[in-house]
Amino acid sequence: MRRVQLIVAYDGTNFHGFAKQNHAATIQGTIEKALYELTKEKIDLVGSGRTDAGVHAKGQCCIIDTNTTIPTKNLVKALNGRLPKSIVIKDAMDVKEDFHPRFMAKRKTYRYQILTSSVNDPFVGPFSYFYPYPLDIERMQKAAKYIEGEHDFKGFCASGSSVKGTVRTVYSIEVRKVDDLIQIDICGNGFLYNMVRIIAGTLIEVGRGKKAPRCIAEMIEKKDRTLGGPTAPPEGLTLLEVYYDDALRYE
């Protein structure tokens, strides 16, 4: 038995999230089906975390335990030949048998994209929230600065979450505008349920002038979700990369 790391990219538009479901197409279920077709083994795919329905990824880190003798360099091509075009295995590498992509993750970076052009763009739109209104980027940048650091982000967590602790550290957040596309890149040691989408939705309200930049600080201080904006739609969110201590990951 060997443990293999898979780096997976996917367009989540037509999937009901990462986690396997009995009667819906998911990233995990689709990859496990391809693994069975290839190896004839019932293999569990374990990811660094779950992404919601409609959310995308460029660098989702996963592991599998398998008895297959297929070299890792050939595993990528063999799996991609059995997967839909919307899911791609970017890389495969053997890792230590105790490596776990969720428990050993040090940092994650997400990107939320907002397309503010007057008409949608078929080349950008599927991976962005189409919001055809002007946004004040400087107000959004000012508000975003309140997010950096270690805080109790209870006010940025969707209801229904069963998480015990709500303290997280955001190492950096950058808000930039390229033509009509606004990108929000956020890197942290972990994120609460819908946290990035709540941040994005609140920054949109700030950019529209509906909320003051300091509303972010008030959400943190009062731990009050109602002070923020709506949860931004899933299509604008992409998991860019998950970071690890490679000394713990590879032999």
Side-chain angles (χ1 to χ4, degrees):
M1 185 72 69
R2 52 196 278 234
R3 179 157 291 189
V4 180
Q5 169 191 275
L6 304 176
I7 302 299
V8 187
Y10 49 85
D11 173 357
T13 303
N14 296 317
F15 292 93
H16 291 263
F18 179 86
K20 185 165 52 179
Q21 299 180 35
N22 290 332
H23 304 291
T26 66
I27 304 300
Q28 182 185 22
T30 303
I31 296 175
E32 287 183 358
K33 180 181 177 182
L35 284 165
Y36 181 77
E37 291 175 355
L38 177 63
T39 66
K40 305 307 177 188
E41 297 176 278
K42 290 186 177 180
I43 298 173
D44 291 326
L45 181 79
V46 179
S48 67
R50 299 178 177 184
T51 51
D52 291 336
V55 174
H56 320 289
K58 283 191 173 183
Q60 172 71 280
C61 181
C62 304
I63 55 167
I64 57 171
D65 291 328
T66 176
N67 288 308
T68 184
T69 58
I70 300 173
T72 50
K73 64 180 180 180
N74 297 336
L75 199 58
V76 172
K77 185 176 181 180
L79 279 176
N80 284 335
R82 291 166 171 81
L83 289 169
K85 292 181 179 179
S86 50
I87 302 176
V88 174
I89 308 299
K90 297 172 66 176
D91 194 15
M93 296 188 72
D94 288 288
V95 292
K96 293 181 178 180
E97 63 180 15
D98 61 349
F99 169 69
H100 196 286
R102 179 158 56 96
F103 300 139
M104 293 185 173
K106 299 294 186 182
R107 294 178 290 138
K108 291 183 179 181
T109 297
Y110 282 91
R111 171 173 292 167
Y112 197 91
Q113 295 197 137
I114 306 155
L115 183 61
T116 61
S117 56
S118 59
V119 295
N120 209 337
D121 184 333
F123 297 99
V124 179
F127 308 101
S128 307
Y129 172 31
F130 177 52
Y131 189 83
Y133 306 99
L135 294 174
D136 188 324
I137 192 73
E138 292 184 359
R139 283 173 59 88
M140 295 173 72
Q141 290 169 338
K142 183 178 180 180
K145 286 301 176 185
Y146 290 110
I147 295 168
E148 291 183 341
E150 182 181 82
H151 305 290
D152 186 336
F153 283 101
K154 184 177 181 180
F156 295 83
C157 184
S159 61
S161 174
S162 59
V163 67
K164 293 181 180 180
T166 52
V167 174
R168 298 291 186 273
T169 299
V170 172
Y171 300 113
S172 65
I173 181 168
E174 183 178 356
V175 184
R176 72 177 74 86
K177 185 174 183 181
V178 181
D179 297 324
D180 292 321
L181 187 66
I182 293 176
Q183 295 178 331
I184 303 168
D185 286 1
I186 182 167
C187 177
N189 65 353
F191 296 92
L192 303 172
Y193 181 49
N194 281 351
M195 177 174 161
V196 178
R197 289 167 57 191
I198 291 170
I199 289 172
T202 304
L203 290 179
I204 289 170
E205 294 278 280
V206 171
R208 282 283 284 170
K210 295 181 178 181
K211 292 187 180 297
R214 184 166 169 75
C215 76
I216 295 283
E218 293 175 352
M219 289 176 71
I220 294 172
E221 291 167 5
K222 298 180 181 179
K223 304 179 181 63
D224 189 348
R225 170 70 185 91
T226 66
L227 296 175
T231 303
E235 61 266 23
L237 184 62
T238 300
L239 171 62
L240 292 184
E241 191 170 358
V242 187
Y243 304 87
Y244 299 92
D245 181 346
D246 284 344
L248 301 176
R249 183 163 45 161
Y250 303 121
E251 295 290 354

